Amino acid sequence: MQPRIPRQSATEPGAIRVDSDARLTVELAAVVAGARRRALRDGDRQIDTAHLLHTLLESDPEVRAAFEGGEPQVARLLGYLVQRSIGYGLRWQGSVEDSGALPVLPGTARTAGWSPVAAGALEEACERAGRRGDARARGTDLLAAIVADPQSRAVEVLRRGGVDAGELLARLPRVECSGSN
């Protein structure tokens, strides 16, 4: 049986495995791999920003610390995301997430099996790390990138969970981050 999310061979010209990208911390690469597994398990055609948010919330303490409502708010968000993954609540299966707010990188490994918004967010996370002077993007970089698009699925989940994405984005630069590689 063919996987629903296409994978690129490492021998294809320009092929880069996103979860082994040297521009991501080990922790963020694990988040990306987890989002890929979640999308497959959920039967979704593409990894989207909700998959990324779900995995970030589960695995990254720095991301969880960015939420003003603390653990109760994170638990509420995870509840929405779990409902979505089991087929209840927010329904996006079978559709492509593309708000048009972030640029799409045509013909790259980042777009194969990724929604245009999620692919753009991952690229923006790497650029954000570079602007900060870091060689590798962290979870908070990816969170900032996915909440910057008001039409992303992640932002819809945040809205339903009572989180103002604009306020969250404004707080992220002040979130204390440890330098992990």
Side-chain angles (χ1 to χ4, degrees):
M1 181 162 120
Q2 292 280 344
R4 289 179 176 254
I5 297 177
R7 296 183 188 268
Q8 281 192 318
S9 163
T11 60
E12 289 180 40
I16 299 170
R17 294 254 330 169
V18 176
D19 54 351
S20 65
D21 191 320
R23 298 182 307 156
L24 308 179
T25 61
V26 171
E27 296 83 4
L28 186 53
V31 164
V32 169
R36 177 179 287 114
R37 286 189 301 274
R38 183 172 309 287
L40 282 169
R41 190 172 48 245
D42 293 352
D44 292 330
R45 290 181 11 203
Q46 294 182 324
I47 298 165
D48 64 29
T49 58
H51 294 118
L52 292 169
L53 177 63
H54 195 158
T55 310
L56 280 167
L57 289 171
E58 286 181 333
S59 64
D60 193 322
E62 293 172 350
V63 166
R64 288 192 302 275
F67 288 86
E68 201 169 57
E71 289 300 321
Q73 189 174 55
V74 170
R76 186 171 43 253
L77 292 169
L78 285 168
Y80 282 116
L81 290 159
V82 167
Q83 287 177 357
R84 179 231 183 186
S85 71
I86 61 174
Y88 296 105
L90 305 172
R91 296 187 187 265
W92 297 299
Q93 199 169 30
S95 65
V96 173
E97 175 185 46
D98 182 11
S99 68
L102 291 173
V104 176
L105 306 171
T108 71
R110 295 199 192 293
T111 59
W114 286 68
S115 76
V117 177
L122 188 62
E123 192 62 32
E124 174 59 27
C126 293
E127 291 172 10
R128 179 181 165 93
R131 287 190 302 269
R132 189 179 57 248
D134 285 348
R136 295 181 182 194
R138 297 189 293 250
T140 52
D141 294 318
L142 182 56
L143 179 62
I146 62 177
V147 301
D149 183 347
Q151 301 303 312
S152 73
R153 291 178 179 168
V155 170
E156 183 177 344
V157 170
L158 293 172
R159 259 193 308 268
R160 298 239 181 162
V163 176
D164 182 306
E167 288 177 13
L168 174 60
L169 185 59
R171 270 194 317 276
L172 282 171
R174 294 190 304 267
V175 172
E176 197 62 38
C177 299
S178 63
S180 56
N181 288 325

